[in-house]
Amino acid sequence: MSAKVRAEEDPGDAVEAGAYDVAVIGYGPTGVTAANLLGAMGLRVVVLERDAEVYSRARAISTDEEVMRIWQRAGLADRLKRDMLAERPLDFVDARGRAFLSASPTPRGHGHPPQMFIYQPALEQVLRDGTDRYPNVEILLRHECLRLRQSMDGAGVELTVLSTSDDSVRRLRAKYVIAADGGSSPTRAQLNVGYEGKTYEDRWVVIDTEMLKPWPDHDRLRFRCDPARPAVDCPTPLGHHRWEFPILPGDDEKHLTTDDAIYSMVSGYGIGRDQIKILRATVYSHHVRFAARFRTGRVFLAGDAAHAMPPWIGQGMAAGVRDAANLCWKLDSVLRGELPDTVLDSYEAERKPHVKEVTKRAVFVGRIITERRLPVTRVRNTVLPVLNRIPGFGGWLQDSNWIPVAHYAEGLQARPRTKASGHQIPQPWVTAADGNRVRLDDVLGGRWLLLHSGPPAPQPAWNRVDVPSVTVLPAGSRPAEGAVVDSDGVLLPWLAAHRVATLALRPDAYVYAAAPADAQLPPPPAGFAPAPRTSASIVG
């Protein structure tokens, strides 16, 4: 029986069974990712979600290779990719439909396509089905958290929960809480945490359609930079397509969401009424906001509850998934006694600077798309095509100004820092000891680990706490125990480029410490005491 069914049929049993390790408030992409990751770690988890079903409106439209690497850790990447469109080019086009800038995403070495278009309701359903594998995860749909109360001794959090199906109220306890309950987060309000930033004046109508008859280049992403009315024209998988149009001064907002208005707007791109079926049209505003703090005691804000950004580079959902990945392994380590509670402060220290930088890039791209001053658009449309003819310019612009690499300048890493510190190691395909070709993370196994580019130098500080070691062998080497063969020739050049021979990797494959050949690594984090790890049993 699935966790979801158990919780809906008899939620009282789930609550009365006792306290949880982690309570997750909100079951959108951030919350469901956290539930899968924590479930796989064997922690006892409860998820509270006020709605009964997956939200039907497709909000996010794309994701990237780093997020897929996180979902790989949850064992769901390959299933999710079956419902995605990968590696589609993108164009910035002028009012006549002529591209003045084109680019294809460049891979960054995470082992998955660099950009994939998604249909969010289908994606969320796959992620929810994933939590059904874990009997240690209880899903309480149609339940709202009315109040949080943290114990004075810091031992945990009491949650007062309302079942909206029968109006019953009950209490449950958790050692930690992840609040992933959206931009209007009631949890954030209860904690009296400010949500600083701005809301842009422009409102946009978002139109989701079913594609009945394809049209030329229907699978290309186009930012239509028409000063008269900019638009986003985006392919989505499973036979869907998305348009977004601004509501301009003088527009009737209600009329703009009618079928007649929508057919009129898309007809300018040669799309007839017989080619699409309008599923829904919703109006929304763009926000740039950040919670004043991501942690209050044992409660953590994640996803839109912690930050909101414009949608131009498709990173709103991705930022929440990164939050979950960063936080969950740290919670697991603290709950198992491997690391002290203070390590959880590194969550905000690592995530907030990156999400601010991503938001800055989203605002920059939005300005290119929505520019309506004719003299500026003429310069843009003239200069960028010339630059775009320079080989590699489009890829460079996208790689350097689109989505910044998640690199942590602060947080949980050793001092002194090296060139590799705070970076996530790439994930190529490698040959494991049994001769099978696998992705690197499947060998690393989500644990602390030492990675060597040659015969390992003694590391007594790490050996004393029984951190395992893996040696990287050159391509063409014979597979061996305690080693991986760098079949694609990626890892050894990366280590050489960063001038290191030994890495201490965190469970999320970020570099905690690094050292050149025959040198000692800095010691493990203070209070580090690895515990035996067992994954949760999987149902079905």
Side-chain angles (χ1 to χ4, degrees):
M1 185 181 294
S2 73
K4 174 179 175 180
V5 172
R6 284 200 308 274
E8 286 189 330
E9 287 183 351
D10 193 1
D13 288 347
V15 173
E16 292 170 4
Y20 297 88
D21 292 314
V22 182
V24 179
I25 304 174
Y27 205 33
T30 303
V32 72
T33 297
N36 274 283
L37 294 173
L38 295 168
M41 294 166 184
L43 299 179
R44 185 141 191 261
V45 180
V46 63
V47 180
L48 306 175
E49 169 56 50
R50 65 186 176 187
D51 295 325
E53 303 291 341
V54 170
Y55 191 48
S56 61
R57 184 164 71 84
R59 293 154 292 171
I61 56 175
S62 70
T63 192
D64 62 47
E65 59 188 299
E66 184 185 349
V67 171
M68 292 308 305
R69 187 173 179 178
I70 293 167
W71 286 331
Q72 175 194 333
R73 218 173 300 153
L76 296 171
D78 291 335
R79 170 62 188 88
L80 287 164
K81 285 194 289 189
R82 296 210 304 262
D83 293 339
M84 296 180 180
L85 295 174
E87 300 180 280
R88 296 301 195 269
L90 64 92
D91 300 316
F92 291 81
V93 302
D94 61 18
R96 298 182 183 181
R98 299 174 302 188
F100 60 82
L101 178 63
S102 300
S104 295
T106 53
R108 287 178 167 172
H110 291 289
H112 299 279
Q115 184 180 52
M116 286 147 287
F117 294 104
I118 67 170
Y119 185 60
Q120 186 173 341
L123 177 142
E124 287 193 41
Q125 189 59 60
V126 172
L127 291 170
R128 288 192 178 195
D129 291 344
T131 63
D132 289 346
R133 298 172 293 173
Y134 303 112
N136 49 310
V137 177
E138 299 288 345
I139 312 299
L140 302 184
L141 302 179
R142 294 183 291 179
H143 282 71
E144 288 188 64
C145 179
L146 300 178
R147 190 182 72 165
L148 294 171
R149 189 173 63 128
Q150 302 198 53
S151 62
M152 298 297 292
D153 61 3
V157 185
E158 181 183 81
L159 300 89
T160 302
V161 177
L162 169 70
S163 168
T164 58
S165 59
D166 62 10
D167 291 331
S168 62
V169 176
R170 54 179 57 86
R171 290 181 177 85
L172 53 90
R173 302 182 307 280
K175 295 172 184 173
Y176 291 97
V177 174
I178 298 174
D181 48 350
S184 59
S185 171
T187 307
R188 189 184 63 240
Q190 286 186 56
L191 298 172
N192 199 29
V193 173
Y195 203 42
E196 303 153 356
K198 64 180 289 187
T199 296
Y200 286 84
E201 293 180 4
D202 291 345
R203 287 166 63 77
W204 285 66
V205 58
V206 177
I207 302 150
D208 289 313
T209 70
E210 178 185 344
M211 186 170 58
L212 304 177
K213 295 180 182 178
W215 52 90
D217 292 330
H218 64 85
D219 58 350
R220 290 182 79 95
L221 169 61
R222 289 186 180 84
F223 294 114
R224 297 187 177 273
C225 308
D226 182 351
R229 189 186 296 275
V232 178
D233 179 352
C234 181
T236 48
L238 304 175
H240 295 86
H241 201 88
R242 159 82 66 85
W243 281 277
E244 301 181 15
F245 297 97
I247 298 171
L248 303 178
D251 281 341
D252 181 337
E253 185 173 303
K254 281 190 174 179
H255 173 68
L256 215 60
T257 60
T258 64
D259 286 4
D260 285 344
I262 292 167
Y263 284 126
S264 176
M265 287 189 289
V266 302
S267 68
Y269 310 135
I271 310 300
R273 287 176 175 255
D274 62 335
Q275 291 180 280
I276 58 172
K277 175 185 176 182
I278 299 169
L279 299 177
R280 61 191 64 84
T282 307
V283 174
Y284 72 93
S285 299
H286 295 166
H287 306 277
V288 173
R289 297 191 182 276
F290 304 97
R293 57 185 183 275
F294 288 9
R295 179 185 189 184
T296 300
R298 288 176 170 258
V299 183
F300 299 84
L301 302 176
D304 288 352
H307 43 74
M309 70 180 73
W312 304 117
I313 59 175
Q315 283 293 298
M317 179 190 73
V321 173
R322 289 184 175 94
D323 290 346
N326 185 286
L327 181 57
C328 285
W329 77 263
K330 294 174 182 175
L331 286 171
D332 179 56
S333 294
V334 171
L335 286 163
R336 295 181 187 280
E338 293 184 343
L339 289 169
D341 176 90
T342 52
V343 79
L344 297 172
D345 291 333
S346 68
Y347 165 59
E348 179 176 336
E350 293 178 350
R351 288 297 305 135
K352 199 169 193 177
H354 182 253
V355 80
K356 282 192 169 185
E357 182 62 26
V358 172
T359 303
K360 187 189 303 182
R361 306 288 179 92
V363 171
F364 169 76
V365 173
R367 286 175 181 154
I368 296 176
I369 298 165
T370 61
E371 180 60 63
R372 301 189 66 209
R373 293 170 294 176
L374 290 176
V376 177
T377 62
R378 290 191 189 104
V379 172
R380 176 197 67 193
N381 298 351
T382 302
V383 172
L384 284 178
V386 174
L387 294 175
N388 199 36
R389 286 196 287 270
I390 300 174
F393 174 78
W396 170 83
L397 181 68
Q398 180 164 327
D399 197 48
S400 60
N401 287 305
W402 196 260
I403 303 171
V405 174
H407 167 239
Y408 302 143
E410 300 296 334
L412 183 59
Q413 54 186 279
R415 296 293 189 274
R417 287 170 47 82
T418 69
K419 188 178 178 182
S421 298
H423 285 278
Q424 192 173 34
I425 193 170
Q427 183 191 211
W429 288 87
V430 297
T431 304
D434 60 6
N436 288 324
R437 185 172 162 84
V438 297
R439 293 188 180 98
L440 177 65
D441 284 2
D442 295 337
V443 176
L444 301 182
R447 55 188 171 157
W448 287 88
L449 186 138
L450 302 185
L451 195 72
H452 307 275
S453 63
Q459 301 292 340
W462 291 86
N463 299 147
R464 277 196 297 271
V465 289
D466 293 326
V467 172
S469 292
V470 170
T471 300
V472 182
L473 303 176
S477 300
R478 183 187 298 276
E481 285 297 323
V484 294
V485 178
D486 188 16
S487 312
D488 292 347
V490 171
L491 289 176
L492 292 174
W494 190 90
L495 292 165
H498 288 79
R499 299 192 292 275
V500 293
T502 300
L503 303 177
L505 295 178
R506 309 184 328 183
D508 57 358
Y510 277 82
V511 176
Y512 172 79
D518 300 321
Q520 294 294 303
L521 288 166
F528 182 56
R533 312 184 73 77
T534 57
S535 298
S537 59
I538 295 177
V539 177

